[in-house]
Amino acid sequence: MKERLAELEALARELEPAADSRAAVREKVVEYSEGFLNDVASLKAYVVSRDKGIGLLDSPIAESGIDIDAVISLLAENVDSPGLNPASGGHLGYIPGGGIYFSALGDYLGDVFNRYAGVFYASPGAVRMENMLIRWMCDLVGYGTASHGNLTSSGSLANLIAIVTARDGRDIKSADIPRSVIYLSKQTHHSIAKAIKVAGLVECPVRYVELDERFKMRADDLESKIEADKAAGLNPFLVVGSAGTTDVGAIDPLVAIGEIATKFGLWYHIDAAYGGFFILTDEGREKLRGLEMADSLIIDPHKGLFLPYGLGIVLVKDVAHLQKAYSFHANYMQDAFDPTDEFSPAELSPELTKHFRGLRLWLPLKLHGVAPFRACLEEKLLLAKYFHAEVQKLGFESNVEPELSVVTYRFVPTTGDADEFNKRLLEAVVADGRVFISSTMLDGRFTLRFACLSFRTHLKTVDTLLGVLASGVESLITK
Ligand SMILES: *Cc1c(COP(=O)(O)O)cnc(C)c1O
């Protein structure tokens, strides 16, 4: 047995590389990532590739490892090149990604020390840090001391946590489902529909509240729909407002919806995944009044605080609801919970063992302070206004004033099909690759979207897009 143990140990110890082997790999990784960071301003925002990274399949997982140079070339060719480059400031489609560097270092430290951030008893410091970040965000949105929340991997998971909390908060049991009504709009993000399904609420009647000409929920229509449902003996229980829709960046009338929710006893959830952090700006704070009225809300640091993908947040006004939805008992954890401790993520979310994801937010906030984040967000609001004005000078229609940092626009040629024209224009922009844009359907029309949220997007990037659009239009018209 001892002989076998010695053999196994010799191989197992490869998982603990010595300082010089660590340094050798680390230096290559740093060299590779520094090369990327130094060039990112000139890299394409989208790379059209024929093989779509298929070379990765030629290197299957095997018994023996390969060296770091081979690994980096696999990544460079097959992963870090084809498709969208979310780290590019030229990413102006969907909701752009981030990738601030100090966040990566936060992940690095979090991973090396691997603190157990699920339970206070195991890592009081890590849990305290996450709770402190949650408290900072509760204060930002105007929640009181009874509020709490959870750091999740994404906005979709945050929405799911909130919808389950709403279900239990309003005591919706299976038998109540067919008569328990949910109010959304056609602009509500599809992750809400997914959450409703996953939460077992798919058989709840769903009402789509009418939108006004700026794609905001009409509060008067919400109220009359609730009244009609009540009169019909149904149980209206949940309304979801959006604070910055993905499509057009519209903010629903948060205060009016909040008053209606209070009047009729509905759970009020606000999806502020995209728009929430604009509350750091003066303009955003004004526009986001009413966030504090929500029973639950979500915001995405991997959108509005420019973090690399992997961080969403759910906040709940009364922590008792989160506890009701997620607390549990397990005999083998009997030493882990002391009621005088701070709350642990494991008591307030579906997770147990979890990534110490707070550090990827805390480190950049500590190193930079909040001021550059605030400035970067205000810059994005101004760039949207600038783009809205300039794109119209190029002859585009852009009827709706941008509320946040999304602008919708389309070119209407004097002859031919406008939808087809804009589709081809989008293809031309994506093929050029310096900037990346996306599209949507608004009132049945193919419409282009400018979505500005990358910390690397500045005036020069927007001017590049305007230039690409102008020459795209010209070549399509003269074709
Ligand atoms: C992005 C987004 C989501 C989903 O968040 P993920 O982090 O992508 O899962 C939900 N709602 C809105 C309004 C969004 O913009």
Side-chain angles (χ1 to χ4, degrees):
M1 187 201 274
K2 289 220 168 129
E3 220 167 278
R4 181 64 183 145
L5 278 173
E7 271 170 36
L8 291 172
E9 182 176 328
L11 205 48
R13 277 184 178 277
E14 287 187 15
L15 297 178
E16 181 71 284
D20 55 343
S21 329
R22 289 202 299 275
V25 171
R26 187 175 58 240
E27 277 156 23
K28 298 279 183 178
V29 167
V30 169
E31 185 188 321
Y32 178 53
S33 54
E34 283 299 306
F36 174 75
L37 291 171
N38 291 330
D39 289 350
V40 70
S42 59
L43 293 176
K44 288 194 167 192
Y46 193 91
V47 175
V48 182
S49 105
R50 250 178 302 125
D51 70 9
K52 301 182 172 138
I54 200 158
L56 206 53
L57 301 183
D58 295 335
S59 183
I61 305 301
E63 275 301 299
S64 302
I66 60 175
D67 72 28
I68 181 66
D69 292 317
V71 165
I72 286 177
S73 44
L74 277 175
L75 285 175
E77 257 167 61
N78 300 294
V79 180
D80 296 328
S81 164
L84 183 61
N85 176 6
S88 162
H91 181 5
L92 298 164
Y94 311 120
I95 298 291
I100 51 174
Y101 185 66
F102 292 152
S103 197
L105 296 184
D107 275 344
Y108 178 77
L109 289 175
D111 291 355
V112 169
F113 287 84
N114 198 26
R115 303 301 303 185
Y116 192 93
V119 177
F120 186 83
Y121 168 79
S123 190
V127 171
R128 200 185 293 285
M129 179 191 288
E130 293 200 342
N131 285 346
M132 202 175 140
L133 290 166
I134 290 165
R135 175 59 36 212
W136 174 64
M137 286 176 280
C138 285
D139 290 346
L140 273 184
V141 303
Y143 269 1
T145 51
S147 58
H148 210 297
N150 184 245
L151 305 187
T152 71
S153 56
S154 68
S156 300
L157 264 294
N159 270 333
L160 176 60
I161 291 177
I163 296 299
V164 168
T165 307
R167 179 194 70 196
D168 292 2
R170 286 295 176 271
D171 257 327
I172 308 297
K173 302 281 192 293
S174 347
D176 310 318
I177 285 176
R179 51 178 292 277
S180 298
V181 191
I182 301 175
Y183 302 83
L184 311 175
S185 90
K186 290 282 184 191
Q187 285 281 317
T188 307
H189 193 270
H190 71 271
S191 60
I192 294 284
K194 252 197 216 177
I196 287 170
K197 196 165 144 192
V198 178
L201 298 173
V202 77
E203 282 152 1
C204 289
V206 171
R207 309 276 181 248
Y208 292 97
V209 179
E210 278 175 31
L211 299 169
D212 68 11
E213 68 292 346
R214 299 192 60 187
F215 304 97
K216 295 162 177 254
M217 204 182 252
R218 275 183 41 196
D220 58 339
D221 186 54
L222 171 65
E223 182 155 15
S224 47
K225 281 191 160 72
I226 294 174
E227 276 169 346
D229 286 328
K230 287 232 168 207
L234 299 174
N235 171 38
F237 92 99
L238 168 65
V239 57
V240 179
S242 304
T245 61
T246 309
D247 239 10
V248 304
I251 301 174
D252 286 330
L254 303 179
V255 173
I257 297 173
E259 284 163 355
I260 294 168
T262 306
K263 178 170 165 191
F264 294 98
L266 274 69
W267 183 280
Y268 183 19
H269 175 65
I270 297 181
D271 180 347
Y274 152 63
F277 279 109
F278 284 105
I279 204 162
L280 288 169
T281 68
D282 290 343
E283 183 182 337
R285 191 171 328 112
E286 209 37 55
K287 289 184 166 169
L288 292 166
R289 273 196 326 117
L291 272 188
E292 73 287 352
M293 297 173 82
D295 294 291
S296 57
L297 61 91
I298 73 153
I299 36 179
D300 260 7
H302 67 197
K303 289 180 178 168
L305 287 181
F306 322 110
L307 259 62
Y309 295 140
L311 196 65
I313 287 166
V314 57
L315 301 177
V316 175
K317 188 184 255 169
D318 182 352
V319 64
H321 289 300
L322 264 183
Q323 280 181 290
K324 180 173 171 194
Y326 295 104
S327 66
F328 68 101
H329 177 79
N331 290 336
Y332 71 91
M333 299 269 310
Q334 63 189 0
D335 325 315
F337 294 99
D338 176 341
T340 64
D341 283 348
E342 290 210 14
F343 280 115
S344 294
E347 300 169 273
L348 305 178
S349 81
E351 288 185 309
L352 179 56
T353 304
K354 66 181 274 289
H355 181 214
F356 176 20
R357 48 179 82 92
L359 195 48
R360 68 203 321 267
L361 176 55
W362 186 82
L363 191 75
L365 282 173
K366 292 305 289 178
L367 291 174
H368 292 298
V370 178
F373 291 92
R374 222 186 274 287
C376 198
L377 286 161
E378 188 178 337
E379 180 193 28
K380 301 299 155 302
L381 294 174
L382 268 180
L383 286 174
K385 291 184 175 63
Y386 172 77
F387 179 77
H388 177 65
E390 294 299 314
V391 81
Q392 292 180 82
K393 292 184 194 159
L394 296 178
F396 284 76
E397 275 183 1
S398 182
N399 300 329
V400 182
E401 284 280 318
E403 180 131 55
L404 294 171
S405 69
V406 176
V407 183
T408 53
Y409 60 105
R410 73 196 301 255
F411 194 86
V412 183
T414 45
T415 57
D417 181 57
D419 283 0
E420 199 49 41
F421 186 94
N422 285 281
K423 255 179 229 169
R424 287 169 56 203
L425 180 57
L426 179 128
E427 282 162 15
V429 174
V430 173
D432 173 89
R434 278 177 289 165
V435 288
F436 177 81
I437 58 170
S438 61
S439 68
T440 187
M441 296 300 290
L442 288 180
D443 297 329
R445 297 194 188 101
F446 188 91
T447 304
L448 302 172
R449 288 172 71 257
F450 166 89
C452 184
L453 200 62
S454 165
F455 70 105
R456 292 195 172 106
T457 301
H458 306 293
L459 183 58
K460 192 166 157 231
T461 334
V462 179
D463 283 336
T464 302
L465 170 61
L466 288 163
V468 175
L469 287 172
S471 54
V473 165
E474 200 173 298
S475 68
L476 283 176
I477 283 180
T478 53
K479 241 182 209 165

